[in-house]
Amino acid sequence: MFLSGKMGDNQSVSVRVRTSIFLMEFLFVFSSPLRRAISRGLKADGNLVNELNELDDYSIQSRKDAKAICEALRTLPSDGPMGKSGFSSPLYAVSSLFQDVESAESPAFEVLYEEGLPELVRIFDETLAIGREEDEDDLLFLLKILAMYGSREGAERVIEAARRSLKSEGYLWHVVFSVLTEGHPQRDYIFEALSDPIPNDFIAIGLLDSATASAIDGNLEHHPFDSPDGYECLRRWLTDSDSDHSSYAHSATAALPFVQNPARDQLLALAMDHFDTGVQIEAAWAAGKLGREAGLKVLSRFCLDVNHSEVAQRYLHELDREDLVPDTAADASFQAKAMFSSWLAHPNELGEAPDELEIIDHRELAWPPEKEVSPFWIIQYRQRDRTGLEEDDVDCGLVGSVTWCFFTYKMHQRPPEDVYAIHAYWEMEHGDLIDENEVTDPSEYERMLSQWQGEPLESATITQVVEVSPKLDTPSRFIALARATLQGGEGWVVLDGERSQWYPKSEQPEDTHETAILKIHIGRQLLGFTETPDRKNFLTTSPKSRSDQEWIETYEGFVAEASQADAKRQEELLGTRSLLARHFEKYIGLAAGDADEKRVSLMVELYDRCLEIAALSDDSIREELHDSFGFLGCNFESYIDALQAQNASEKIKSAVKIFEPFWEHNLGFGQLGAAAFQGGDHDVAEYYLLKLREGLESYHRSSGMSTLAKIWHERGESQKAQELLVDCLRKMVTEVQESEYNSDREMFTQEFHEHRATFLRLFPGSEQQLRELGIPDEPK
């Protein structure tokens, strides 16, 4: 039988765990996949996170499944920070199941509401009282679930956590408040409770956006920011000059129609004069919402700005003033440019509106699979370089079916027909009408090479095979792509019966991925294109916009700026994927030329300078400046190599100590271990390489294991070194043999040979010994 209700406060966690496991095992034979997963996960050697993750999209409907979830919750919180396992925790894995209930009418919902929510509240209270920072993400997720289910107790925890500023900058706060929509039983209670005082930081933004959304829908009597404390928050966000906080000003402006005068008009004036154009448009909407013609006229003007037209037109439609949209803005080609600009400005794409837009091609096409004739546009954008270190970003996208730009395909260097073809193929592939597969065994498809009837091919290797759905009505259902050489020139052949065609590499933009060739070939058939374009005519090479010396001086200027800049600017220049990090190697190459000694000294000098900047930086960015993907992290190995060339072993040891506190992860362990080895500190190298071996599941692929074997061999522990390398080699053989893709097999084979070469250097003449151990010369 199931235990119901909440267990006594004095009952230990271990008793709860044993009781729940007993119940799970009792019901295992006749249970659902969920209940079996929970039962396995709660065993002493089980992994609840992995078991639940294996369920994928599991819909929870039955009372028994809900009861099992409640029993699992009674074993939590686990010892330590929520019992974390990797990137997740048992609490997150179990509580996330509350989101998978089919509906509020299902039997499972009632059980989770009556029995599950009290357990979530208990876990929340116990964990919040402990106060571990590492638990905060899980606590915020619990708040999301509690808010979704709408209980009074859950609402009280949301309020308490907000007042205590629990992870006040966590984005999940926005999700917590977003569920407080019309009909939510605790919405007004939470809004009122948090209106005085307003919570801190991003909690306030989440509250603001949720309340404003309700107000716009017309079902909120009193906006929580319609108070002196709320006005002050809105004023602070509208006067913040940090461009990274412009979204806060957007949110503040959207709330202005729902607060009272005189504060409203004063705040609206600030929004109208804001430096961010998007905030100005939001202010025009707010004014229009208040019935002010001036705001409507501003929106009408912005309709003619291609980079802001889509938003302005949408706001006018929302305000029932479509009559103010100018005729020019209603033109189809103008709207296509506006749509593309809006797409490019999304944070997942360029992140800002382009500087230039130009329609390259426009035509009516019978687009597959329905073949309905529709208008399409190829639009080229240009984003001007503002750093002096990079060229302008130029490419083309498509508007017509799915608005999209690939960015890496260099569409501006392709004929329009090829651009349309690539997009058509991609859409059909995503619609499951084309199935593209990398070939794992080229010999399996070798017979398809006989379809080529042209001049003899050399070194032809089939790499891709595509299956086309009969719904697309192509002559061939199976089409293959092969890399080859024809009359001395590299390229690709598409094997498609009578339509087989050779595509020279010289006619494609640089770094073209071979799958683009398949897209062009098949996409052109889908669209009915038959003429072969002069592809070379579209290839362009942009001239340098500045001399090498000008470029060097610009880079050095940014380095000088970094030493004097504030924290935010230092982070921009030296942090993760920063400007100086991206161009470090180019700077060294241009400044040093072919002089190896100068290259080494320049590299050490520049890196040391940036190390000093990071050491003196503000505490708020110090970890970011030492991140593995910032300037220092990206160029650490080059710096260590340069120090080794200077025989500066003490500086190498010092560098390892500098990064030790910041690189508590597998990537860091590998880098620190390799550096310590190069600096001659083998004990430290062994320490980090052992941590890498313990923490990395695929440790056998790491070159660090060869280094560890060298350390043990030099120390006289030859047997340990041999066992480690044999272990790695055996695992690499398995990796190669079980790999699905050629590209992976090639990579794994290379890694195998690196370990094998180490083995043979340490143990000369041991080829036969390896074979006797079951390790072949080639891992096929």
Side-chain angles (χ1 to χ4, degrees):
M1 59 179 290
F2 282 108
L3 295 177
S4 61
K6 188 174 179 181
M7 303 188 93
D9 292 337
N10 296 324
Q11 191 167 12
S12 68
V13 171
S14 60
V15 172
R16 294 202 303 268
V17 171
R18 288 198 300 271
T19 303
S20 294
I21 291 175
F22 172 80
L23 289 167
M24 293 299 127
E25 290 178 343
F26 180 77
L27 295 167
F28 185 84
V29 176
F30 303 104
S31 61
S32 67
L34 172 65
R35 279 171 273 158
R36 291 196 294 271
I38 292 176
S39 178
R40 290 191 299 266
L42 289 178
K43 290 181 179 179
D45 59 347
N47 187 314
L48 189 57
V49 174
N50 289 347
E51 292 289 349
L52 293 178
N53 285 344
E54 289 293 321
L55 293 175
D56 295 324
D57 298 326
Y58 187 89
S59 178
I60 297 168
Q61 304 176 47
S62 73
R63 293 178 60 85
K64 289 183 178 180
D65 274 356
K67 288 275 189 181
I69 294 169
C70 295
E71 290 298 334
L73 286 174
R74 291 188 179 103
T75 70
L76 301 171
S78 307
D79 293 337
M82 290 294 199
K84 283 197 178 295
S85 173
F87 294 105
S88 187
S89 70
L91 176 63
Y92 177 86
V94 177
S95 58
S96 64
L97 296 172
F98 280 67
Q99 301 175 126
D100 299 328
V101 177
E102 192 170 74
S103 71
E105 286 71 40
S106 73
F109 181 86
E110 181 182 355
V111 174
L112 291 177
Y113 189 92
E114 296 294 335
E115 299 183 32
L117 291 186
E119 291 300 325
L120 294 183
V121 168
R122 173 188 60 79
I123 295 168
F124 182 88
D125 290 347
E126 290 178 11
T127 310
L128 186 66
I130 295 171
R132 287 185 295 244
E133 182 179 347
E134 52 266 49
D135 290 335
E136 290 180 349
D137 285 332
D138 280 335
L139 286 174
L140 272 183
F141 186 75
L142 277 189
L143 291 180
K144 173 192 172 184
I145 301 299
L146 291 171
M148 283 174 56
Y149 274 68
S151 72
R152 188 71 163 195
E153 293 79 9
E156 290 168 353
R157 270 61 188 181
V158 171
I159 293 167
E160 179 185 4
R163 285 175 173 163
R164 293 178 59 160
S165 296
L166 173 67
K167 194 159 189 178
S168 61
E169 291 293 356
Y171 181 77
L172 202 56
W173 273 110
H174 204 279
V175 180
V176 171
F177 286 119
S178 69
V179 304
L180 303 179
T181 56
E182 182 182 10
H184 191 286
Q186 308 301 331
R187 186 198 68 178
D188 293 344
Y189 170 60
I190 294 174
F191 284 175
E192 182 178 354
L194 296 180
S195 64
D196 186 18
I198 297 292
N200 296 324
D201 306 324
F202 196 72
I203 304 175
I205 294 294
L207 175 66
L208 174 65
D209 287 343
S210 178
T212 301
S214 289
I216 290 173
D217 289 340
N219 52 60
L220 185 67
E221 283 189 25
H222 179 258
H223 198 294
F225 280 74
D226 190 11
S227 66
D229 193 23
Y231 304 152
E232 182 53 38
C233 287
L234 298 176
R235 185 184 308 278
R236 184 170 66 252
W237 292 322
L238 287 169
T239 56
D240 189 341
S241 60
D242 188 344
S243 59
D244 288 345
H245 295 164
S246 291
S247 63
Y248 297 176
H250 274 262
S251 295
T253 305
L256 296 185
F258 312 106
V259 301
Q260 303 301 307
N261 264 328
R264 181 183 65 204
D265 286 352
Q266 295 170 359
L267 295 169
L268 188 55
L270 291 174
M272 287 287 193
D273 291 335
H274 199 272
F275 64 85
D276 184 270
T277 305
V279 175
Q280 295 173 27
I281 297 174
E282 198 75 32
W285 167 85
K289 184 78 172 174
L290 293 167
R292 300 180 183 180
E293 287 295 320
L296 297 172
K297 289 179 180 179
V298 170
L299 288 177
S300 182
R301 288 199 299 271
F302 271 116
C303 287
L304 297 173
D305 182 338
V306 72
N307 287 333
H308 302 286
S309 180
E310 188 178 42
V311 174
Q313 290 190 56
R314 187 171 74 247
Y315 282 173
L316 285 173
H317 282 281
E318 183 181 319
L319 296 170
D320 293 325
R321 292 305 305 270
E322 298 93 333
D323 58 298
L324 295 178
V325 176
D327 291 342
T328 300
D331 176 75
S333 290
F334 183 92
Q335 290 198 342
K337 291 170 68 175
M339 188 179 300
F340 189 48
S341 173
S342 178
W343 186 90
L344 289 170
H346 192 278
N348 290 343
E349 312 310 335
L350 289 184
E352 58 182 334
D355 294 311
E356 296 176 14
L357 287 173
E358 179 185 358
I359 294 175
I360 301 301
D361 192 80
H362 168 50
R363 64 183 75 180
E364 303 275 328
L365 293 171
W367 202 256
E370 290 84 4
K371 295 290 185 179
E372 291 183 5
V373 177
S374 303
F376 287 82
W377 292 263
I378 297 174
I379 303 176
Q380 178 175 290
Y381 75 84
R382 178 179 296 274
Q383 193 74 359
R384 296 192 192 94
D385 171 55
R386 293 171 174 79
T387 68
L389 297 179
E390 300 173 338
E391 300 303 320
D392 290 353
D393 179 12
V394 181
D395 212 325
C396 290
L398 183 87
V399 175
S401 50
V402 176
T403 300
W404 192 261
C405 178
F406 285 100
F407 294 118
T408 58
Y409 277 68
K410 299 181 180 178
M411 297 294 199
H412 62 298
Q413 296 189 42
R414 299 183 183 277
E417 293 80 6
D418 284 3
V419 176
Y420 289 123
I422 290 171
H423 278 271
Y425 178 104
W426 174 75
E427 288 186 31
M428 299 308 102
E429 185 180 19
H430 279 258
D432 295 327
L433 296 175
I434 292 178
D435 185 17
E436 182 180 303
N437 295 286
E438 184 176 344
V439 170
T440 58
D441 182 5
S443 62
E444 183 179 350
Y445 298 94
E446 195 167 359
R447 66 186 183 281
M448 295 186 73
L449 289 170
S450 63
Q451 296 181 31
W452 176 249
Q453 300 299 311
E455 295 293 322
L457 299 169
E458 298 176 26
S459 305
T461 303
I462 294 178
T463 59
Q464 304 281 334
V465 171
V466 166
E467 181 179 1
V468 183
S469 169
K471 294 179 182 179
L472 294 179
D473 196 27
T474 53
S476 300
R477 184 172 179 183
F478 293 95
I479 301 171
L481 176 76
R483 285 195 298 262
T485 301
L486 179 64
Q487 296 179 338
E490 294 181 352
W492 303 270
V493 61
V494 177
L495 303 167
D496 184 17
E498 296 178 355
R499 294 154 303 284
S500 297
Q501 189 169 345
W502 172 253
Y503 292 84
K505 189 175 183 179
S506 61
E507 294 184 359
Q508 299 292 325
E510 287 186 12
D511 303 320
T512 288
H513 192 274
E514 60 187 20
T515 56
I517 306 303
L518 273 174
K519 290 177 172 62
I520 290 169
H521 181 89
I522 298 174
R524 288 174 62 87
Q525 290 186 43
L526 295 175
L527 295 171
F529 299 148
T530 56
E531 293 185 10
T532 301
D534 181 0
R535 294 188 170 93
K536 281 190 175 181
N537 191 46
F538 290 87
L539 300 178
T540 59
T541 303
S542 301
K544 283 186 176 181
S545 57
R546 59 194 65 83
S547 69
D548 288 348
Q549 186 57 39
E550 288 173 330
W551 193 96
I552 291 170
E553 291 171 358
T554 300
Y555 189 91
E556 291 174 344
F558 283 124
V559 175
E561 181 188 352
S563 63
Q564 303 296 325
D566 59 22
K568 181 184 176 184
R569 183 59 174 159
Q570 285 184 335
E571 187 175 8
E572 290 174 353
L573 292 171
L574 293 171
T576 303
R577 297 177 178 83
S578 63
L579 185 67
L580 293 177
R582 292 199 303 273
H583 299 291
F584 175 75
E585 288 292 343
K586 180 178 179 179
Y587 168 74
I588 297 298
L590 290 178
D594 297 327
D596 290 341
E597 188 173 338
K598 185 177 181 182
R599 178 183 177 85
V600 167
S601 62
L602 263 178
M603 187 174 290
V604 172
E605 179 185 346
L606 176 56
Y607 197 95
D608 282 345
R609 190 172 175 184
C610 292
L611 263 180
E612 183 179 358
I613 293 171
L616 298 174
S617 65
D618 188 82
D619 288 345
S620 64
I621 64 165
R622 193 162 299 154
E623 184 173 352
E624 171 71 15
L625 296 195
H626 290 86
D627 184 81
S628 295
F629 299 99
F631 175 89
L632 297 175
C634 285
N635 301 298
F636 179 78
E637 292 179 4
S638 297
Y639 174 62
I640 297 300
D641 289 342
L643 290 178
Q644 189 177 34
Q646 293 182 335
N647 296 314
S649 59
E650 291 305 313
K651 285 190 72 173
I652 293 177
K653 294 175 184 178
S654 175
V656 170
K657 289 186 180 298
I658 289 171
F659 286 95
E660 280 178 340
F662 302 101
W663 288 0
E664 284 289 325
H665 46 70
N666 289 328
L667 175 61
F669 297 151
Q671 289 183 298
L672 292 173
F677 182 78
Q678 287 179 265
D681 197 338
H682 289 189
D683 288 342
V684 171
E686 179 188 32
Y687 171 77
Y688 280 111
L689 294 174
L690 282 173
K691 285 178 75 73
L692 178 66
R693 185 185 183 189
E694 294 164 4
L696 184 64
E697 185 177 355
S698 58
Y699 67 87
H700 52 278
R701 295 186 52 202
S702 169
S703 61
M705 296 305 100
S706 278
T707 303
L708 184 57
K710 293 173 189 175
I711 293 171
W712 286 343
H713 185 268
E714 290 174 8
R715 194 185 289 162
E717 299 177 274
S718 297
Q719 186 63 32
K720 281 176 65 176
Q722 187 172 120
E723 289 173 355
L724 173 61
L725 289 172
V726 168
D727 172 53
C728 291
L729 287 167
R730 282 176 173 159
K731 286 183 167 65
M732 290 308 308
V733 170
T734 301
E735 292 271 21
V736 173
Q737 293 176 347
E738 294 183 353
S739 175
E740 187 176 350
Y741 300 111
N742 270 337
S743 54
D744 287 344
R745 284 209 297 269
E746 291 172 3
M747 177 174 59
F748 296 152
T749 298
Q750 181 180 347
E751 292 165 350
F752 168 87
H753 282 296
E754 288 174 3
H755 284 321
R756 186 173 183 273
T758 300
F759 191 98
L760 294 177
R761 282 196 300 270
L762 298 182
F763 308 102
S766 56
E767 290 88 347
Q768 185 57 37
Q769 179 187 356
L770 285 175
R771 296 185 196 110
E772 291 172 358
L773 290 169
I775 299 170
D777 296 349
E778 289 292 336
K780 296 180 180 177

